[in-house]
Amino acid sequence: MSLLNRPPLKRGNWRPGTLLWPALLGLALLPEVLPRLINTLNLGEVPLSPDTPLWRLTLTHLLLVGLGTALVLLIGWPLAVLVTRPGREDLRDLAQTLVGFGQTVPTLAILALAVPLLGFGWPPTLLGLVLYGLLPVVGNAVAGLRSVDRGALDAARGMGMTGAQTLRRVEWPLALPVMLAGVRTAGVYNVGTATIGAALGAGGLGEPIINGLSQQNTALVLLGAVLSALLALSLDAALSLLPTSDD
């Protein structure tokens, strides 16, 4: 047995929804399928052949969410490492307060304030995604790193590991399952947050929602909402396959 007694990682739980939601999303993106279903509800009219195909709106939305989440990780994980080093309790409290700011201020207000500085399109939307996604990523990373068994750290020091080696070979592997849970939460949250970016010209699945609201066309709003929900559920199902710690 390893001196550090590191528990093995295993794949996330495979559930029926892991395939169900992506399959439903794929079905909804087939030409005319979802528009025809929604048109039967008599809530308005959805074009059977929209100017921008639904699959392209979905791909744009997914790319926006993916880039926003990647930026969150580039900022959040190093920040979590920084504030969990010994003697930095005050800095940790300050950091967690600041990253929580993004979820206390309405996302639409953040985007509106960012427009004068960043213009329209992706930049202000990405800013909103980063601010909204930092809390779960930083919070889980801090929790994971602080939950590492002190005995494992003492054993690493006893073996002559440096601080960087201890972080890379002991703390990071042990904290990773908790950290990945934060990534899963942030990714799913950002699917919903990214829809607001359509009001700023960022594109994605928020487009039919914004267009439906401006045209008082409930069917268009429903179209965007259904696809956004299916994308969020599909992403959650995919991220549920990330490694977890073995019980």
Side-chain angles (χ1 to χ4, degrees):
M1 180 179 294
S2 169
L3 177 63
L4 300 180
N5 195 28
R6 178 163 64 94
L9 295 180
K10 64 177 182 179
R11 290 185 178 273
N13 293 328
W14 182 272
R15 298 170 297 176
T18 305
L19 288 178
L20 173 63
W21 299 118
L24 289 177
L25 177 61
L27 180 63
L29 293 177
L30 292 175
E32 300 186 7
V33 171
L34 187 58
R36 286 187 182 277
L37 288 175
I38 292 178
N39 285 340
T40 61
L41 301 177
N42 295 321
L43 298 174
E45 189 68 24
V46 176
L48 297 181
S49 299
D51 294 336
T52 304
L54 297 181
W55 66 265
R56 184 170 296 175
L57 291 177
T58 304
L59 180 59
T60 299
H61 201 95
L62 187 58
L63 289 174
L64 188 60
V65 171
L67 182 55
T69 304
L71 291 174
V72 168
L73 297 185
L74 289 175
I75 298 170
W77 278 359
L79 178 61
V81 171
L82 176 67
V83 302
T84 51
R85 299 308 90 192
R88 295 178 178 172
E89 289 78 11
D90 292 340
L91 182 58
R92 181 172 64 245
D93 293 339
L94 175 62
Q96 290 184 303
T97 299
L98 290 177
V99 299
F101 177 79
Q103 292 198 1
T104 58
V105 178
T107 307
L108 189 58
I110 294 175
L111 297 180
L113 292 173
V115 167
L117 295 175
L118 301 176
F120 290 89
W122 280 42
T125 304
L126 288 173
L127 176 63
L129 295 179
V130 169
L131 293 179
Y132 200 73
L134 275 175
L135 181 60
V137 167
V138 174
N140 277 58
V142 168
L145 291 168
R146 293 190 66 196
S147 67
V148 174
D149 183 64
R150 297 298 100 182
L153 298 178
D154 291 339
R157 296 189 191 99
M159 296 171 62
M161 290 187 186
T162 65
Q165 289 173 328
T166 301
L167 173 64
R168 185 177 68 254
R169 299 174 60 182
V170 181
E171 293 182 78
W172 195 270
L174 291 173
L176 187 59
V178 179
M179 297 168 71
L180 291 177
V183 176
R184 179 181 178 183
T185 301
V188 174
Y189 279 178
N190 278 345
V191 172
T193 307
T195 59
I196 303 176
L200 305 179
L205 295 175
E207 276 193 13
I209 296 177
I210 299 300
N211 292 337
L213 291 173
S214 64
Q215 300 170 18
Q216 297 185 344
N217 187 341
T218 305
L220 275 178
V221 176
L222 183 60
L223 177 72
V226 168
L227 288 175
S228 296
L230 288 175
L231 180 60
L233 291 168
S234 298
L235 184 60
D236 182 64
L239 293 178
S240 70
L241 299 177
L242 291 173
T244 61
S245 58
D246 206 355
D247 296 331

